[in-house]
Amino acid sequence: MKIYNTLTKKKEEFVPIEEGKVRIYVCGPTVYNYIHIGNARPILVFDTVRRYFEYKGYEVNYVSNYTDVDDKIIKKANEEGVEAHIISERFIKEFIKDTMALNVNEATTHPKATEEIDGMIEMITTLIDKGYAYEKDGTVYFRTRRFEGYGKLSKKNIDDLESGIRIAVNDQKDDPLDFVLWKPKKEGEPSWQSPWSDGRPGWHIECSVMSRKYLGDEIDIHAGGEDLIFPHHENEIAQSEAANGKNFARYWMHNAFLNIDNKKMSKSQGNFFTVREIADKYDLKVLRFFMLNAHYRSPINFSRDLMESAKVSLERITNAYSQLEYFLEMNSESNECTETELEILTELKAFHNKFELAMDDDFNTADAISTIFEIVKLANTHCNTESSRKFVQSFIDEITLLADILGIIISKEKDLLDEDVDALIQARQDARKNKEFKLADEIRDELLSKGIILEDTREGVRWKRA
Ligand code: AMP
Ligand code: ZN
């Protein structure tokens, strides 16, 4: 398997630290608002990377943090007149809802910055002890020039960086390049006690600490959007390698942006759609499919037209799949494959291998999806009501397997049959007769969730499909 490593700017063969295991850390969201579809890109990309590793038999330890203390969270809390944790807790819940709807698997660990403050104080203390950090009036800074490898990820030269930095008037840093590890609180801000001041950590230190705690000093893959390369990931490397005296991450993976009118979609520019807004118009599996239609290192320019065409493309797969299920129902005799069918199944196997080759080549989901279309074409050409069950089943299994690696759900939720609806209505009537009103309501809600609306009339219960 080859991965493009931002650190070496090359595709490299993946060699895990520990055989059969992958330790991956993906920088997570700052939880002060609903996520937009730009934020959804790394979430979907790295969930797919994880799924593919798991398919290949690796045990994946996947850690992604919540940044739950930050200026933006505090600002929103002040606007609403509530404490910061009320905001972060609310948006962690909303984040979970969105990611579940996008069929994203839950991280092995999802640590919160505010629950890891002790570890941050410990790492900052080590950095001070080793001469990599210093305190000034309650603020602790990282001494950037002291870390020799600074700039190795973003390929920036430290002297060029220095000349590009404007120095704030009241800056107390020894060097403009130095960055904050700990800062004292301002009025109305959440804070924690520390040897330097009552305050809170800088953003970069949290990832260094959580990565070490949950994955160890050295990890296989560290990932995020490409805007995190500098300064966030560069600073994480400096902190972790200075504190631990070990290499931090072997492979650095960064997804390109989701743009709109060729500009990065971002909250601050106001040019964004939230995942929720998209969910009003589309099934979110279309968004997932749309995102994976591009290689993760290629920019995507979002447009309604592209979403529409992703919807139509996905329907080609789901329709073919439903058709295959229909053939299976029709061909109730369990018969063996014919000679011709066996030959076609070798073609199917070749497409499977092509899918893996695409994914092995730096997770080329775009080419992997093309392979699924080739399989769909093969199925549409050769499967029919005369085909053997085994033959049809092989196509169903293959499409299910490949779609599942990409996290795309393709089977349509089956509508309830009229008899099932009648049986559930009867069960609800019985529950009411027995005064089990909670159960009766649950049955009504279950029917409603499947699009069945009940009307209690004098003649009895009537129902219709929504
Ligand atoms: P933020 O909330 O801005 O810290 O972003 C959270 C994650 O989303 C980071 O990995 C960012 O790199 C990523 N991200 C933000 N905007 C975009 C975008 N327009 N396209 C792709 N990734 C993005
Ligand atoms: Zn991070």
Side-chain angles (χ1 to χ4, degrees):
M1 261 168 103
K2 285 206 158 51
I3 297 184
Y4 180 87
N5 189 351
T6 312
L7 193 64
T8 55
K9 291 194 149 193
K10 280 204 278 279
K11 272 189 206 168
E12 293 173 11
E13 191 59 35
F14 177 72
V15 184
I17 295 167
E18 204 178 328
E19 196 164 328
K21 297 194 175 169
V22 183
R23 303 174 206 169
I24 177 165
Y25 186 97
V26 182
C27 291
T30 306
V31 277
Y32 70 104
N33 213 327
Y34 295 99
I35 53 167
H36 61 66
I37 57 175
N39 302 136
R41 190 168 189 195
I43 296 166
L44 291 170
V45 163
F46 298 114
D47 177 62
T48 307
V49 165
R50 172 199 189 160
R51 284 167 181 266
Y52 189 60
F53 273 122
E54 282 171 347
Y55 162 72
K56 288 279 209 176
Y58 286 93
E59 190 186 308
V60 183
N61 191 345
Y62 190 99
V63 177
S64 189
N65 63 301
Y66 291 119
T67 298
D68 61 345
V69 57
D70 152 280
D71 288 345
K72 288 176 246 158
I73 299 173
I74 295 169
K75 184 165 172 269
K76 182 136 186 159
N78 289 340
E79 280 164 11
E80 290 193 17
V82 296
E83 287 184 32
H85 72 94
I86 302 287
I87 300 293
S88 57
E89 280 160 21
R90 184 196 306 159
F91 287 106
I92 285 174
K93 282 207 190 99
E94 301 299 347
F95 175 87
I96 293 171
K97 274 192 216 157
D98 282 339
T99 49
M100 277 175 70
L102 287 165
N103 198 27
V104 171
N105 284 330
E106 209 185 338
T108 317
T109 315
H110 228 145
K112 298 187 183 104
T114 55
E115 291 173 3
E116 308 289 342
I117 305 285
D118 287 351
M120 298 188 216
I121 291 174
E122 192 196 315
M123 191 180 274
I124 297 170
T125 306
T126 307
L127 288 170
I128 294 175
D129 291 348
K130 287 187 161 185
Y132 284 103
Y134 58 95
E135 187 234 347
K136 287 264 169 87
D137 285 342
T139 303
V140 184
Y141 297 99
F142 187 88
R143 203 182 287 286
T144 303
R145 275 191 185 272
R146 181 74 216 285
F147 180 69
E148 258 182 34
Y150 198 80
K152 66 180 173 183
L153 182 70
S154 54
K155 315 292 172 220
K156 288 185 195 290
N157 175 294
I158 203 153
D159 295 319
D160 296 346
L161 277 173
E162 183 98 56
S163 58
I165 292 181
R166 267 190 283 142
I167 304 165
V169 183
N170 56 356
D171 227 334
Q172 300 173 303
K173 298 177 195 176
D174 285 351
D175 183 326
L177 279 177
D178 297 348
F179 59 88
V180 171
L181 299 173
W182 185 267
K183 55 187 158 195
K185 70 167 180 187
K186 292 196 200 105
E187 194 51 38
E189 287 187 353
S191 65
W192 290 264
Q193 284 184 342
S194 82
W196 317 290
S197 58
D198 280 2
R200 60 187 166 102
W203 171 37
H204 315 300
I205 194 75
E206 66 176 77
C207 289
S208 284
V209 168
M210 292 188 242
S211 179
R212 178 172 76 176
K213 175 164 171 188
Y214 295 100
L215 297 170
D217 286 351
E218 191 185 20
I219 68 170
D220 294 296
I221 300 173
H222 196 112
E226 66 182 12
D227 51 341
L228 298 187
I229 298 174
F230 187 84
H232 185 53
H233 288 165
E234 196 68 66
N235 291 355
E236 280 188 42
I237 292 178
Q239 296 163 156
S240 295
E241 298 192 355
N244 306 335
K246 297 215 181 95
N247 182 50
F248 180 31
R250 287 196 175 183
Y251 304 87
W252 287 85
M253 293 180 73
H254 294 99
N255 64 275
F257 291 145
L258 178 87
N259 295 323
I260 190 154
D261 297 327
N262 295 310
K263 281 199 208 81
K264 181 194 171 195
M265 182 175 284
S266 81
K267 235 160 241 161
S268 58
Q269 296 302 309
N271 61 346
F272 65 88
F273 292 107
T274 61
V275 168
R276 285 302 153 88
E277 283 168 322
I278 297 299
D280 283 343
K281 305 225 162 40
Y282 295 94
D283 187 325
L284 285 181
K285 67 187 174 195
V286 177
L287 182 63
R288 184 166 182 130
F289 183 73
F290 166 86
M291 222 59 101
L292 298 181
N293 258 300
H295 186 266
Y296 75 91
R297 285 189 293 113
S298 305
I300 302 177
N301 203 22
F302 179 80
S303 72
R304 291 272 169 191
D305 283 354
L306 277 182
M307 271 299 279
E308 277 303 316
S309 74
K311 184 175 170 220
V312 173
S313 293
L314 182 58
E315 273 165 9
R316 269 173 57 206
I317 305 178
T318 49
N319 289 344
Y321 189 86
S322 305
Q323 178 85 344
L324 288 169
E325 283 187 318
Y326 168 75
F327 292 151
L328 203 61
E329 252 171 52
M330 297 304 291
N331 308 358
S332 55
E333 272 172 53
S334 171
N335 48 3
E336 286 301 307
C337 292
T338 63
E339 283 294 313
T340 329
E341 284 178 343
L342 284 174
E343 271 168 37
I344 293 160
L345 287 185
T346 57
E347 280 183 60
L348 179 62
K349 179 84 186 95
F351 284 133
H352 174 97
N353 295 342
K354 212 171 150 192
F355 177 98
E356 286 203 23
L357 279 178
M359 292 298 280
D360 284 345
D361 183 14
D362 192 28
F363 306 95
N364 194 334
T365 53
D367 285 0
I369 288 175
S370 305
T371 312
I372 299 183
F373 281 112
E374 292 184 86
I375 293 174
V376 162
K377 202 164 138 204
L378 197 67
N380 288 343
T381 315
H382 297 287
C383 295
N384 53 51
T385 48
E386 311 289 301
S387 311
S388 73
R389 283 179 69 84
K390 202 166 173 194
F391 183 64
V392 177
Q393 190 67 54
S394 304
F395 277 92
I396 290 182
D397 291 347
E398 190 61 52
I399 296 173
T400 307
L401 174 70
L402 302 188
D404 193 47
I405 292 173
L406 301 176
I408 293 160
I409 301 163
I410 39 157
S411 58
K412 285 199 179 127
E413 218 177 76
K414 297 246 180 347
D415 288 337
L416 276 182
L417 298 172
D418 287 5
E419 304 91 88
D420 300 331
V421 176
D422 290 335
L424 279 166
I425 290 176
Q426 190 53 52
R428 175 171 172 262
Q429 295 297 79
D430 294 346
R432 288 170 124 196
K433 231 185 269 160
N434 300 333
K435 300 206 174 352
E436 294 173 81
F437 296 113
K438 194 162 164 277
L439 176 63
D441 284 349
E442 278 168 11
I443 297 173
R444 186 202 53 214
D445 291 347
E446 187 191 336
L447 284 163
L448 192 62
S449 74
K450 302 219 155 90
I452 307 293
I453 300 165
L454 302 189
E455 281 176 278
D456 290 308
T457 69
R458 252 187 285 163
E459 290 78 39
V461 182
R462 276 206 242 135
W463 64 269
K464 61 179 183 195
R465 292 186 194 271

